[in-house]
Amino acid sequence: MPELHAFLTVCQLGSFRRAADVLCVTQAAVSRAVQRLEQRLECTLLDRSGPRVQPTVRGREFQALVEVHVAGLEIAIGQFGARAAPRKLRVSVLPTLGTRWLVPRLGQFRALHPDIEIELRPFHHDENFTRDDVDLWIHLKRPARAWPRGIRAQYLLGREILPACTPALAAGLRQPRDLLKLTLLQHINYPGNWALWLNKAGHVETPPKLGPGFDLGNNLIVAACAGMGAIVIHPVLIEAELASGQLVLPFSPAVVTDRGYYLGSRAALAENEAVEQFTRWLLDESKASTDRFVTTSRRL
């Protein structure tokens, strides 16, 4: 069926790109699907030489044979089982944000929208947003990177950072400069976070001496809970630790970075009801998290 849908849509629109937009997949995926069909039938179905893709003579014969039957199958499924089938959204999310913020909330979303199934797909650090196995991405946006064409992006949360440590370490802190007495644990991808916060919030101009580095936010948090030192982090990632008292936020204000977590989706899914409902829910949850841990303090 995917191969037939790809072939018929290209025949109708005369373009692999336009067919990809309608089918909510990549142009390469449409091209591969048609190629598989041609290999199976052992003939060329589409003439790709002109400005508009058109079916060959054999392609027109095959189109006439299958078009009415594919349409009939779609009508039958729509009348019989489509209403009962869950709508599925395939989401790729950064591991630490997914584990610590998104997954604990998915039960709430499921209760509100039992007809929408959220399937988490593997996260790729070198993501180019052309995969055809993902509908939505929750990704870290950096200023130097532009979103590719065909991707709509909305900011969710995570621009702000605050220092955190165990209550035992916080007991010896009186002012932000006192953090320099502690071991300053760092995320190796963002070593400038400590200098940024200390400079803007604590007016410390001397570059801080950084301690052990970690390549995952989750490992950084575990180290902080073990009392290895202080961290500077998006507070939404340590909601559970703050609620349990394992970690505390000894100082405010929050300092705004040039990064943040964004929701990216295919522009072709702009009118998709499931995407709209999931996006609205994410934005509400993001605002609630930010208000709880950041808006209550000043921002710099």
Side-chain angles (χ1 to χ4, degrees), residues 11-44:
C11 288
Q12 293 164 5
L13 301 176
S15 164
F16 284 97
R17 180 185 58 79
R18 293 174 62 190
D21 291 341
V22 169
L23 296 173
C24 300
V25 297
T26 65
Q27 182 174 334
V30 175
S31 179
R32 289 194 298 267
V34 174
Q35 287 174 1
R36 289 195 299 269
L37 186 61
E38 290 178 324
Q39 289 170 0
R40 181 167 183 175
L41 297 176
E42 298 182 349
C43 67
T44 300

Side-chain angles (χ1 to χ4, degrees), residues 1 29 50 67-68 101 112 169 185 218 226 228 233 242 247 291-292:
M1 289 299 292
E67 199 164 31
V68 65
W101 188 82
L112 292 170
L169 292 178
L185 306 176
N218 192 60
M228 290 179 59
I233 197 167
L242 293 173
L247 296 177
D291 289 348
R292 186 178 305 116

